[in-house]
Every structure is written in C-alpha cells, then in structure tokens.
Amino acid sequence: MRKRMMTYMKSIDMLLEEQNSSDDYEKVRKEHLVQIQFFQHERLIHLIVTCLFAVLAFAVFITLLFSFSIGLLVLFGALLTLLIPYIRHYYFLENGVQRMYEQYDRIYALCGKSVDGEALER
C-alpha cells in the first residue's frame, strides 16, 4: 500500500507541474477524489486494527499484572511487536491522505475554482 500511495502522489505532483487545460484537470480531480476515498477507507481499516491491537495489548498487560505467566508475556510481546508497525503504517496513511487533500485543493484551483467553491478570476 505504501508503494502504491507514494507512486500515485508522485504522479499527481508531476501532473500539477505540467500546463494542462482545465478540462484535463477536471478529469484528474474526479479520479483524485476516487483515490482519496480508497485511501481513506484503507486508513479507517488500519485505524480499527491499530486500536484493536492497542486494546488487546493493554488488556494482556493488565492481566499480566494480576496473573503472571510466560504465555501471557509472549502474547504481550507479540502484540507489541505487531502494534509498532501498525502505528507506523497508520501514521504514513494519515499523512498521505492529508497530503492528497492538499493536492486536491491545488487541482481544484487549476480547474478554475477556489477551494471555497467560488469561481476564480483568470
């Protein structure tokens, strides 16, 4: 997912550097909205999974405080081992989607509109 998002954002950045007609940018704007929705969905799923792992790790930690066992310790270690990459990946998705919002605003402006919906003077 990381590679796909980075490749897509780089292609949009290159497109924004080119001079195209507002009709071309309108097509890009519509496709960009679809991609934003796709990555927002991915971000939501990873948020849910990350929260689930955090809650499970916390529950196992609390259980360890009251009833220590090697099995619970191993489970806690495994949950922490998975939680850290999930947090990093969610952080990447969150920042990537925020950057895509900025790209969308630039595309929208190139379509001849301002971000608040009013037509721009050319």
Side-chain angles (χ1 to χ4, degrees), residues 50-99:
T50 301
C51 288
L52 176 65
F53 269 84
V55 167
L56 286 173
F58 184 72
V60 170
F61 177 74
I62 296 298
T63 306
L64 269 171
L65 291 177
F66 293 108
S67 171
F68 182 82
S69 77
I70 296 298
L72 284 176
L73 187 61
V74 170
L75 179 60
F76 181 66
L79 288 172
L80 280 183
T81 302
L82 290 171
L83 184 60
I84 292 168
Y86 276 127
I87 290 171
R88 287 186 64 227
H89 187 65
Y90 178 75
Y91 180 79
F92 170 78
L93 288 172
E94 178 67 30
N95 288 331
V97 169
Q98 295 296 324
R99 185 163 167 237

Side-chain angles (χ1 to χ4, degrees), residues 5-68:
M5 185 179 234
M6 292 298 293
T7 302
Y8 178 74
M9 287 191 300
K10 283 179 186 176
S11 70
I12 293 296
D13 285 338
M14 286 189 294
L15 184 85
L16 287 170
E17 291 174 3
E18 298 173 2
Q19 295 294 329
N20 295 314
S21 71
S22 62
D23 291 338
D24 294 336
Y25 285 120
E26 184 63 28
K27 291 175 188 172
V28 171
R29 184 189 70 81
K30 289 178 182 176
E31 175 60 28
H32 197 61
L33 278 178
V34 170
Q35 292 298 318
I36 287 173
Q37 290 172 343
F38 176 74
F39 288 117
Q40 281 176 331
H41 177 74
E42 184 75 16
R43 181 181 65 174
L44 176 63
I45 297 303
H46 279 279
L47 175 63
I48 292 168
V49 170
T50 301
C51 288
L52 176 65
F53 269 84
V55 167
L56 286 173
F58 184 72
V60 170
F61 177 74
I62 296 298
T63 306
L64 269 171
L65 291 177
F66 293 108
S67 171
F68 182 82

